Amino acid sequence: MQESPELLNNQAIQLASHGDFAEAIACFKCAITMQGENHLLWYNLGMTYKDSGDLSQAQNALEHALSLAPYDEEIIESLAALNFSMGHIEEAMEYCGLGLHLNINNPHLWNTIGVLYFNCNEYEDASEAFEHAVSINPYYYDALFNLRDTYDQLGNTAGRIECENRMREIKK
């Protein structure tokens, strides 16, 4: 049986799901030697580096994936989240802006912007971003959770209670 990028990708995903990151990364790199312009291979490589704890290599692979697929919102979301986890707030905000320029109705990016503002203690701006995420997707539990915490910081008891009620409805 001859190896193909698709088989290697599937094998790498399976290895990574079991925590065998070094072997998964080797599979992705082998697949990339066969199909270097495949943005999904680069994306999966980046996410595997992230999961393994190598954030610098994750950044490099995800940026390469984005260069191959500049309109892929999932790659942009991942880069925003990665930069936030690395403490690169400005870069994370730039990726969110890039993604929202492509799709103003992406609730995940609005939620990420809210998280960025919240972590900078800019609760009013965080509240607006989370509210925007929830207005796009009223069942977005993470955004409701974050909005509840933001309302708590702002002393908005009625808002906090409303979020808790909606969160309970979603959990049913």
Side-chain angles (χ1 to χ4, degrees):
M1 177 183 232
Q2 189 174 8
E3 289 183 335
S4 71
E6 183 179 351
L7 287 174
L8 287 166
N9 181 62
N10 292 339
Q11 182 180 2
I13 289 170
Q14 192 70 6
L15 288 164
S17 74
H18 291 103
D20 298 324
F21 299 118
E23 288 137 20
I25 290 167
C27 283
F28 284 127
K29 286 182 174 181
C30 184
I32 286 169
T33 63
M34 294 179 219
Q35 209 171 63
E37 300 302 307
N38 184 329
H39 73 281
L40 293 174
L41 292 173
W42 284 98
Y43 175 78
N44 290 340
L45 175 63
M47 296 308 290
T48 303
Y49 272 128
K50 180 183 98 41
D51 292 343
S52 76
D54 191 341
L55 302 185
S56 175
Q57 287 291 357
Q59 174 102 17
N60 292 337
L62 289 172
E63 286 176 351
H64 191 80
L66 186 61
S67 75
L68 297 171
Y71 304 109
D72 190 308
E73 291 178 48
E74 189 173 3
I75 297 170
I76 294 168
E77 289 172 25
S78 297
L79 278 162
L82 177 67
N83 275 276
F84 170 67
S85 69
M86 295 169 67
H88 303 155
I89 304 301
E90 284 184 40
E91 291 87 346
M93 194 65 85
E94 287 174 15
Y95 281 114
C96 287
L98 173 64
L100 290 174
H101 180 72
L102 296 173
N103 178 7
I104 194 74
N105 292 315
N106 182 318
H108 301 283
L109 289 170
W110 282 110
N111 185 62
T112 301
I113 288 173
V115 169
L116 294 169
Y117 281 132
F118 187 93
N119 280 277
C120 293
N121 301 320
E122 296 176 24
Y123 302 118
E124 290 290 339
D125 291 331
S127 159
E128 287 179 32
F130 294 136
E131 288 167 353
H132 205 87
V134 171
S135 74
I136 295 167
N137 180 357
Y139 302 101
Y140 189 1
Y141 190 87
D142 289 348
L144 280 168
F145 182 92
N146 292 332
L147 182 57
R148 179 202 63 189
D149 289 353
T150 305
Y151 283 158
D152 199 36
Q153 289 293 321
L154 292 169
N156 181 345
T157 306
R160 180 181 52 78
I161 291 169
E162 176 62 25
C163 287
E164 288 171 351
N165 290 337
R166 289 176 71 187
M167 289 164 59
R168 272 193 292 278
E169 288 175 14
I170 293 170
K171 285 282 189 175
K172 290 182 183 179

